[in-house]
Amino acid sequence: MNAPWKPAPMGNRDPFAAFVCDEAALDALRPVVIEMGWPPEKCNKGGLRNAVQSLSISASPAILLVDLSESGDPLNDINGLAEVCEPGTVVIAIGQVNDVRLYRDLIASGIHDYLLKPLSASQLRDALTQAQAVFTTPRTADGEVVKRHIATAVVGTRGGVGASTIATSLAWLFSEEHKRSTALLDLDVHFGTGALSLDLEPGRGLTDAIENPSRIDGLFIERAMIRANENLAILSAEAPINAPLMTDGSAFLQLEEEFRQAFDMSVIDMPRNMLINFPHLLAEVGVVTLVTEMTLAAARDTIRILAWLKQNAPGAQPLIVANKVQTGATEISKADFEASIERKINYSIPFDAKAAANAAKLGQTFADANRATKPGAVMREIASAILGAGDDDGADLGKAGTGTSLLGKLDLKSLIGKKKAFAKSGEKQTA
């Protein structure tokens, strides 16, 4: 059926046929079939046994729906169906048995989906639309060069620096302006704002994945992720704040693996505590977009995270982004900040409160709502740089400074002295 073979073009085959046991299921199915543009007479009375008899003497349809309600041994009978079904047929099974093991066994045998009775119109419509998409989605031919997957993690050095704003904007830019299929994974399980920024409901996909990592596969990704546009899908959560995060991180690794198979790009909005708890999450990440602010605490934490990345994710290229930069109002000057971290700030995004408020009011990402602004232009440059780094193995996103040791990188006394002098100067001016 659909698992052992690549789905073939529909060609002269019938687009759809169904073999259903009871009138209630037929009554639910026929209006949806008509809505899909298929002839309702292709909805036949009779279950799996009738399907096997019919397909043994006629061509298989592109999409086949079969009823397992009267089958005593569904798995064995499905194997019998496979013997008469042409390669490339997408099979959807329906039945009355609500059993996770049966579901998994059916999926493993090559079934595209398993629907539980009683059937609803929306349930049928979603399943048939997804089955139809198998034939319309472009697929890589044998021998064709596989497009490389580019993964970036966005990490804030401090809370409130705007890492999530940049993560959602980058995901939107990759999907909308660069036309890359993109996955956005918001790992702030309790307080994530990824879905909120895109004016979407987060759903239960991420919490389901954490609770049961063994469920994660291509079908799970297809069902659990929420579509923001044609090329962008998000996986996030708003878990109850009285429910602590109980995971060893295996679910996140499995999600990253599935993203590599299903998308061109993946953007991981990663709270900094995740670096400590699950360091292995950055093993396959090519670029770490480190979002910071021009403060003493942020300079200290930028140094610490850069050292951590060098030790735990040597294959990831750091990209330093200073966000919410206000000319003349920063706690630390750009020169002092760069001297402390011993590398250049790659990009500086100006502070624009009106632009941020505009995006929130519109329910859009910052980059989408503020295309003509300076901050929006800088975000586009960052997206292009990440794409360039992913396409070129030798690209270096940041230039390291001339220092040789972490010791002494941050001259706290000097910076605090400058901070106090600046404050006294301000007091004299206002006196």
Side-chain angles (χ1 to χ4, degrees):
M1 290 167 285
N2 62 307
W5 303 281
K6 293 183 179 180
M10 290 190 186
N12 295 323
R13 302 165 65 180
D14 288 335
F16 174 78
F19 294 85
V20 185
C21 295
D22 58 274
E23 290 293 339
L26 282 171
D27 291 341
L29 178 61
R30 285 193 182 103
V32 178
V33 169
I34 294 171
E35 182 182 325
M36 299 288 291
W38 299 327
E41 56 268 21
K42 292 298 181 180
C43 300
N44 304 286
K45 188 73 179 290
L48 184 60
R49 182 176 301 176
N50 283 17
V52 172
Q53 292 176 351
S54 176
L55 296 178
S56 63
I57 57 173
S58 62
S60 303
I63 299 171
L64 174 65
L65 187 143
V66 291
D67 195 338
L68 305 181
S69 300
E70 297 178 353
S71 174
D73 187 353
L75 285 176
N76 186 54
D77 290 343
I78 282 293
N79 291 332
L81 178 66
E83 294 177 3
V84 298
C85 233
E86 295 178 23
T89 300
V90 177
V91 180
I92 300 172
I94 62 175
Q96 298 173 331
V97 180
N98 187 4
D99 186 342
V100 174
R101 285 186 182 177
L102 174 62
Y103 172 80
R104 290 178 181 167
D105 290 340
L106 288 172
I107 297 299
S109 71
I111 292 295
H112 178 75
D113 204 351
Y114 176 70
L115 308 180
L116 195 63
K117 290 183 176 181
L119 302 174
S120 67
S122 60
Q123 179 188 30
L124 286 165
R125 189 181 298 109
D126 289 345
L128 293 174
T129 300
Q130 290 172 9
Q132 196 174 37
V134 172
F135 296 93
T136 59
T137 303
R139 295 178 176 270
T140 302
D142 292 337
E144 186 178 334
V145 177
V146 178
K147 188 182 293 184
R148 185 180 175 192
H149 180 86
I150 302 172
T152 182
V154 183
V155 181
T157 59
R158 306 287 299 170
V161 297
S164 293
T165 297
I166 292 175
T168 52
S169 290
L170 289 176
W172 181 85
L173 288 166
F174 293 145
S175 67
E176 190 68 21
E177 297 199 351
H178 295 276
K179 303 302 178 185
R180 304 285 186 102
S181 60
T182 305
L184 172 59
L185 175 61
D186 186 349
L187 288 183
D188 190 342
V189 178
H190 295 93
F191 299 103
T193 58
L196 188 64
S197 299
L198 291 160
D199 197 24
L200 299 169
E201 291 291 334
R204 280 193 48 86
L206 183 54
T207 50
D208 287 346
I210 294 170
E211 291 169 1
N212 195 351
S214 63
R215 284 188 57 200
I216 300 172
D217 57 14
L219 182 63
F220 176 87
I221 293 296
E222 184 180 337
R223 288 179 166 181
M225 298 193 75
I226 308 299
R227 283 281 169 187
N229 60 40
E230 184 180 352
N231 291 320
L232 175 59
I234 179 173
L235 194 61
S236 64
E238 286 180 8
I241 58 177
N242 61 347
L245 181 63
M246 303 294 289
T247 177
D248 60 359
S250 60
F252 304 139
L253 282 176
Q254 185 65 25
L255 288 171
E256 289 181 353
E257 176 62 31
E258 293 298 333
F259 290 165
R260 283 193 288 273
Q261 303 298 322
F263 297 92
D264 300 327
M265 309 285 300
S266 56
V267 179
I268 306 170
D269 186 356
M270 183 178 291
R272 57 183 182 160
N273 66 293
M274 286 288 188
L275 298 177
I276 303 167
N277 296 327
F278 311 110
H280 48 288
L281 294 185
L282 294 185
E284 300 295 331
V285 170
V287 179
V288 174
T289 305
L290 196 57
V291 184
T292 187
E293 59 187 1
M294 308 294 281
T295 64
L296 188 66
R300 178 201 66 183
D301 291 345
T302 301
I303 292 171
R304 298 175 72 192
I305 293 175
L306 284 172
W308 186 96
L309 291 172
K310 186 175 181 180
Q311 181 69 31
N312 295 278
Q317 300 184 60
L319 182 72
I320 310 298
V321 177
N323 193 28
K324 303 180 182 179
V325 177
Q326 301 182 65
T327 305
T330 56
E331 189 174 306
I332 303 176
S333 70
K334 182 179 179 181
D336 285 338
F337 192 98
E338 291 179 335
S340 299
I341 68 172
E342 291 191 353
R343 56 182 297 138
K344 295 291 185 182
I345 292 173
N346 300 98
Y347 295 94
S348 295
I349 302 177
F351 179 70
D352 192 334
K354 290 183 179 180
N358 182 52
K361 289 177 181 178
L362 294 174
Q364 298 174 348
T365 65
F366 188 98
D368 185 11
N370 301 285
R371 305 188 188 200
T373 64
K374 176 63 174 175
V378 177
M379 288 185 182
R380 280 166 174 76
E381 293 177 13
I382 297 170
S384 297
I386 293 171
L387 283 169
D391 293 334
D392 182 2
D393 290 333
D396 186 8
L397 291 170
K399 295 181 179 179
T402 56
T404 58
S405 172
L406 281 174
L407 296 176
K409 276 188 175 183
L410 188 60
D411 188 349
L412 295 174
K413 290 182 180 180
S414 173
L415 292 175
I416 292 172
K418 291 181 181 181
K419 182 179 177 183
K420 289 180 177 178
F422 179 80
K424 287 181 179 179
S425 174
E427 289 173 2
K428 289 179 180 179
Q429 290 178 5
T430 57

